[in-house]
Amino acid sequence: MNIVVCVKAVPSTTEVKMDPKTNTIVRDGRASVVNPFDATALEIALQIKDERTVAGFPTTVIVLSMGIPATQELLRDCIARGADRALLLTDRAFAGADTLATTYALACGLRELGTVDLVLCGKMAVDGDTAQIGPELAGSLEASCITDVRSLVRIDDASVAAWHATDEGTELIETDLPAVLTVSKDVAQLRMPSIAGVFSAERATCETCSAAEVAADPSRIGLAGSPTQVVRSFVPERAASAQVIEGTMDEQAARVAALIEEAVR
């Protein structure tokens, strides 16, 4: 079984810089971490690998990402924790991508990897909160999708079953493979790298591919392939003021109601 985990490098701090021309986050590789939701997805993949390996079923975990060259260091860390391979899609042509263009690029990367039985993604990225990549990727692959997975019940060579969250509670879903699963952040804690894993990561080669090498259509990647773009980004202005309202409880309530009416006019 081949499992691919899609990971994204996100800022490790809220102090981020924005490109004034493109209104996108400046990703210079400094102070970046693996998106916490994606880290959980990686741990789920590694748990599946552990269980299937013990049972005698060969399983490979591959980490896939789109980003700047510095993202390779984060992917090496994923290898240190147990992943077998890593592929980074890196090209200036990918820059400024929205979720649709990102999904297309990742789909090109999956095609480059060959046969994939299961794709795991974090439910969302902490720097975007769209929760769109997983479902869009399933759509582009014409595969089933289980979103917001809270626990994995069973997986074999043909199907997977999992509990996932809905607006009305949790629901047990079973679907055939190949499939795409998006994982909630609190499902599992990513394991620490072992000493052997660290040495393995140092020797490992993080594979990289450009847009041309994965045969990506230039009109469908980066800003050119993004139908949604940030027009303006800014820090909201805040004004701090307070009023002391005196009088009886009824008088205070009436005054508060009047202030609210004035504010919404």
Side-chain angles (χ1 to χ4, degrees):
M1 175 180 288
N2 290 324
I3 303 174
V4 174
V5 183
C6 296
V7 303
K8 181 181 183 182
V10 298
S12 61
T13 173
T14 55
E15 299 296 326
V16 297
K17 297 180 180 179
M18 301 296 291
D19 187 315
K21 294 183 179 180
T22 63
N23 286 303
T24 57
I25 296 175
V26 175
R27 303 186 186 276
D28 54 11
R30 292 177 293 180
S32 293
V33 297
V34 171
N35 174 47
F37 287 86
D38 300 340
T40 301
L42 175 58
E43 176 59 28
I44 296 299
L46 296 176
Q47 290 178 9
I48 295 172
K49 175 186 173 182
D50 291 344
E51 294 174 3
R52 287 179 57 83
T53 300
V54 170
F57 301 109
T59 302
T60 301
V61 174
I62 307 169
V63 180
L64 172 64
S65 184
M66 182 187 79
I68 61 175
T71 306
Q72 292 180 72
E73 293 307 309
L74 295 180
L75 300 187
R76 288 184 187 279
D77 181 68
C78 293
I79 293 175
R81 296 172 192 265
D84 299 287
R85 292 174 56 194
L87 173 62
L88 175 64
L89 305 176
T90 183
D91 194 316
R92 292 190 65 84
F94 291 129
D98 69 355
T99 57
L100 187 64
T102 299
T103 296
Y104 172 72
L106 292 175
C108 291
L110 288 171
R111 185 176 62 233
E112 180 72 17
L113 291 172
T115 302
V116 175
D117 302 291
L118 180 66
V119 178
L120 291 173
C121 308
K123 174 186 174 183
M124 62 186 186
V126 294
D127 63 348
D129 292 358
T130 64
Q132 294 175 353
I133 295 295
E136 287 183 359
L137 196 55
S140 67
L141 299 175
E142 297 184 353
S144 301
C145 183
I146 305 178
T147 59
D148 203 359
V149 169
R150 298 305 174 89
S151 67
L152 198 64
V153 176
R154 178 190 53 76
I155 183 168
D156 55 37
D157 291 333
S159 63
V160 60
W163 287 97
H164 81 121
T166 71
D167 291 339
E168 299 179 354
T170 56
E171 179 182 30
L172 178 62
I173 294 286
E174 181 175 356
T175 186
D176 294 336
L177 297 181
V180 178
L181 273 58
T182 72
V183 181
S184 180
K185 182 166 68 71
D186 300 324
V187 171
Q189 182 73 34
L190 180 59
R191 65 192 64 184
M192 295 296 293
S194 64
I195 294 176
V198 171
F199 285 131
S200 177
E202 289 180 352
R203 296 190 301 268
T205 300
C206 181
E207 303 166 46
T208 61
C209 283
S210 65
E213 288 172 328
V214 294
D217 181 346
S219 67
R220 298 183 63 184
I221 58 176
L223 285 172
S226 302
T228 58
Q229 297 180 12
V230 178
V231 176
R232 178 175 175 239
S233 60
F234 61 95
V235 177
E237 296 181 2
R238 296 181 179 180
S241 62
Q243 290 189 35
V244 177
I245 301 176
E246 299 178 344
T248 66
M249 186 176 296
D250 290 342
E251 291 171 343
Q252 290 177 355
R255 179 56 181 157
V256 169
L259 290 173
I260 295 174
E261 290 181 359
E262 291 176 7
V264 300
R265 286 175 184 171

